[in-house]
């Protein structure tokens, strides 16, 4: 689990972004977007499986994972949508297949609808896409980030671990939990954790959610049936708003479908990406 390493760096308008690609360059490209407060690490099993047929691109958004964190950094959905568009140009990808989870779903939707990013097909996994979103805890932290930043390191660590753990229905392997929480610890990580929550404004999805009917590409909506963060009812609503969308519920999985049901998710994605329809 410790061999996940992003070897490349792209200097974006919101800071240095770490990324990597797997699979032969001649294959159909697939880009994977992670959510919050996670990183590309959650895609490790799916990425390796998909790289048997595709060239797979993964990246840590600015402020997340191995990418740069700094005071005053813009890590909002607006910034991430711009950065993703910049990355697609940097990679030379004109119409890739895109798979996006949680916050990454909103990033991919904004890039497509507001910045002209073109995809051959789009798979959304438990995405942040429809209002209202954000748990009571998420909203509380967003309203008082300066208070939470003053928590002692031990209490901060316990809070982050509990929060990340709640994204899984059956529970996370301890080593996985360690890897997902590690970027949020330390002198840079602690304020970065609260910064990304404080900047997670619902207006960034409000700006695009009435335009989902414009999406004309093949779209798959995967959703963990036991998602305690965003209920599966949101998945049904989202699939109904996108003309070409199909809903794929995944039994026994919470919000972190990649960890709870990696085989089932990979099978659904592989089938869809092979012949999007």
């Amino acid at each position: 689990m410790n061999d996940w390493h992003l070897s490349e760096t792209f200097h974006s308008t919101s800071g240095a972004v770490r990324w990597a690609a797997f699979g032969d360059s001649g294959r159909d490209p697939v880009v994977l977007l992670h959510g919050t407060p996670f990183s590309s690490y959650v895609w490790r099993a799916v990425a390796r499986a998909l790289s048997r047929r595709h060239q797979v691109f993964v990246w840590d958004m600015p402020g997340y994972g191995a990418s740069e964190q700094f005071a005053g950094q813009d890590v909002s959905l607006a910034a991430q949508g711009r950065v993703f568009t910049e990355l697609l140009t940097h990679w030379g990808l004109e119409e890739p297949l895109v798979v996006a989870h949680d916050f990454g779903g909103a990033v991919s939707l904004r890039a497509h609808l507001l910045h002209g990013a073109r995809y051959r097909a789009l798979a959304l996994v438990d995405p942040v896409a429809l209002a209202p979103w954000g748990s009571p805890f998420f909203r509380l932290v967003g309203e008082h980030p300066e208070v939470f930043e003053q928590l002692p390191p031990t209490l901060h660590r316990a809070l982050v671990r509990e929060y990340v753990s709640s994204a899984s229905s059956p529970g996370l392997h301890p080593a996985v939990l360690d890897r997902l929480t590690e970027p949020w610890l330390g002198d840079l990580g602690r304020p970065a954790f609260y910064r990304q929550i404080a900047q997670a404004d619902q207006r960034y999805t409000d700006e695009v959610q009435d335009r989902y009917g414009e999406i004309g590409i093949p779209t798959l909506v995967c959703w963990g049936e036991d998602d305690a963060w965003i209920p599966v009812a949101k998945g049904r609503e989202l699939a109904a708003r996108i003309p070409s969308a199909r809903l794929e519920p995944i039994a026994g999985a919470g919000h972190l479908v990649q960890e709870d049901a990696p085989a089932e998710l990979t099978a659904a994605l592989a089938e869809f990406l092979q012949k999007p329809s």
Side-chain angles (χ1 to χ4, degrees):
M1 294 181 184
N2 294 319
D3 62 350
W4 184 253
H5 175 66
L6 305 185
S7 58
E8 306 296 330
T9 302
F10 170 70
H11 294 283
S12 79
T13 52
S14 281
V17 170
R18 301 289 292 178
W19 66 274
F22 305 93
D24 294 343
S25 60
R27 297 172 179 169
D28 278 351
V30 177
V31 183
L32 306 180
L33 289 80
H34 67 81
T36 181
F38 314 113
S39 69
S40 62
Y41 180 72
V42 300
W43 286 119
R44 64 199 180 282
V46 176
R48 286 166 176 153
L50 293 180
S51 68
R52 296 172 65 90
R53 291 179 177 268
H54 302 273
Q55 185 182 26
V56 180
F57 292 80
V58 296
W59 61 297
D60 285 351
M61 296 184 194
Y64 292 79
S67 291
E68 189 175 9
Q69 299 172 333
F70 56 87
Q73 186 176 22
D74 187 353
V75 295
S76 67
L77 279 168
Q80 305 292 4
R82 291 192 298 269
V83 170
F84 182 46
T85 307
E86 294 169 13
L87 260 179
L88 291 176
T89 299
H90 176 70
W91 290 330
L93 302 181
E94 295 184 357
E95 282 193 341
L97 302 161
V98 172
V99 180
H101 175 242
D102 180 76
F103 185 88
V107 172
S108 67
L109 289 165
R110 286 182 63 88
H112 182 59
L113 293 169
L114 299 181
H115 302 298
R118 296 186 302 165
Y119 315 141
R120 188 153 67 86
L122 175 63
L124 299 166
V125 183
D126 297 62
V128 171
L130 295 171
W133 50 268
S135 66
F137 165 78
F138 196 88
R139 290 193 293 270
L140 179 65
V141 173
E143 292 167 1
H144 307 283
E146 71 286 346
V147 175
F148 284 88
E149 284 181 28
Q150 297 177 47
L151 287 175
T154 53
L155 288 181
H156 167 76
R157 180 177 182 272
L159 181 151
V160 174
R161 290 178 69 85
E162 182 63 27
Y163 180 53
V164 171
S165 296
S166 69
S168 170
S169 178
L172 296 172
H173 187 286
V176 172
L177 182 57
D178 287 346
R179 182 66 182 258
L180 292 177
T181 56
E182 189 276 333
W184 303 121
L185 309 180
D187 293 341
L188 291 176
R190 284 200 306 275
F193 178 76
Y194 300 113
R195 183 184 307 121
Q196 52 91 18
I197 294 179
Q199 294 184 25
D201 196 314
Q202 187 176 286
R203 67 188 172 94
Y204 295 123
T205 53
D206 291 344
E207 289 175 354
V208 294
Q209 72 172 34
D210 290 336
R211 296 184 58 184
Y212 295 158
E214 300 173 23
I215 298 173
I217 55 176
T219 304
L220 177 68
V221 179
C222 296
W223 217 283
E225 290 186 337
D226 298 335
D227 189 336
W229 283 20
I230 312 176
V232 68
K234 287 290 186 185
R236 289 191 287 270
E237 181 183 351
L238 179 62
R241 284 177 176 242
I242 301 174
S244 57
R246 172 172 63 85
L247 178 65
E248 181 84 25
I250 299 182
H255 188 67
L256 263 180
V257 187
Q258 305 96 318
E259 300 294 342
D260 293 356
E264 293 85 347
L265 178 61
T266 300
L269 292 174
E271 180 182 19
F272 172 70
L273 297 173
Q274 190 65 20
K275 292 183 179 179
S277 61

